[in-house]
Amino acid sequence: MTMTKYETEIVADEKVPTIEIIREFDAAPEQVFRAHVDPELYAQWVGPRSLTTRITRWDARTGGAWAFANDRDGEEIASFYGSFHEVRQNERIVWTFTYEGLPDGVALETLTFEEVEGGRTRLRVLSVVSDFEARDGMLASGMDVGVKEGYDKLAELLAKGA
């Protein structure tokens, strides 16, 4: 297992059905943002290490749409899709996020790329879902493993200058 300099924090609010994910990276906001909108880069880091990601649709602009599938040993095990509501260069992305297996469970996610001292970036992801049952189901699904391993892979990719 790769050791990381920064931990990924996942916070479930007790009062509203949200999940907030916070992670710092040793890279400028422009680099972290690019890794979220460039489909070739995104496919390299999103999700757990045990899976590969295949981008099936990607139009990273305000009003665009996206979709990807996760494969293990050549077999598709999950797929996701959504719409880019707002893409603000190097600052913010607002998108919907849906697991194809639960098409009624749409999350609205806001990603902010905050510059912090030393040329680093603090990424904040706020995911809002319809109710606590949906939120708790996401948390129980093992999504934390995919999120943490994915951001570790992103940190490694950024360290290589991506």
Side-chain angles (χ1 to χ4, degrees):
M1 175 172 257
T2 304
M3 294 299 294
T4 60
K5 186 173 180 177
Y6 302 107
E7 294 297 317
T8 300
E9 185 178 358
I10 300 174
V11 180
D13 192 305
E14 293 180 14
K15 297 178 183 170
V16 291
T18 62
I19 298 171
E20 184 175 28
I21 302 166
I22 305 162
R23 171 70 185 254
E24 288 192 14
F25 296 95
D26 285 326
E30 295 80 13
Q31 294 168 287
V32 181
F33 178 87
R34 181 172 171 249
H36 282 78
V37 296
D38 180 318
E40 290 182 21
L41 292 175
Y42 191 79
Q44 291 180 52
W45 67 263
V46 73
R49 293 185 187 276
S50 63
L51 303 177
T52 57
T53 297
R54 194 169 25 88
I55 304 294
T56 57
R57 181 176 184 182
W58 202 266
D59 184 10
R61 63 176 176 81
T62 298
W66 63 268
F68 68 84
N70 289 132
D71 301 329
R72 180 179 288 128
D73 300 324
E75 181 181 337
E76 183 175 306
I77 62 163
S79 58
F80 305 87
Y81 62 91
S83 299
F84 287 99
H85 179 74
E86 177 186 16
V87 178
R88 191 181 311 158
Q89 187 78 20
N90 304 324
E91 293 179 21
R92 171 178 151 121
I93 298 170
V94 180
W95 61 21
T96 59
F97 197 98
T98 302
Y99 167 52
E100 199 166 277
L102 292 171
D104 293 339
V106 179
L108 178 64
E109 296 188 342
T110 301
L111 294 72
T112 55
F113 303 83
E114 303 171 11
E115 186 171 3
V116 292
E117 189 176 332
R120 298 185 342 266
T121 300
R122 180 177 300 119
L123 173 65
R124 291 182 182 271
V125 180
L126 180 64
S127 183
V128 181
V129 296
S130 60
D131 55 42
F132 288 100
E133 183 179 5
R135 192 271 317 268
D136 295 345
M138 286 175 63
L139 291 169
S141 73
M143 61 83 71
D144 60 318
V145 173
V147 168
K148 290 176 181 179
E149 289 185 5
Y151 285 148
D152 289 348
K153 290 190 299 183
L154 175 55
E156 294 161 12
L157 188 64
L158 292 166
K160 293 177 185 175

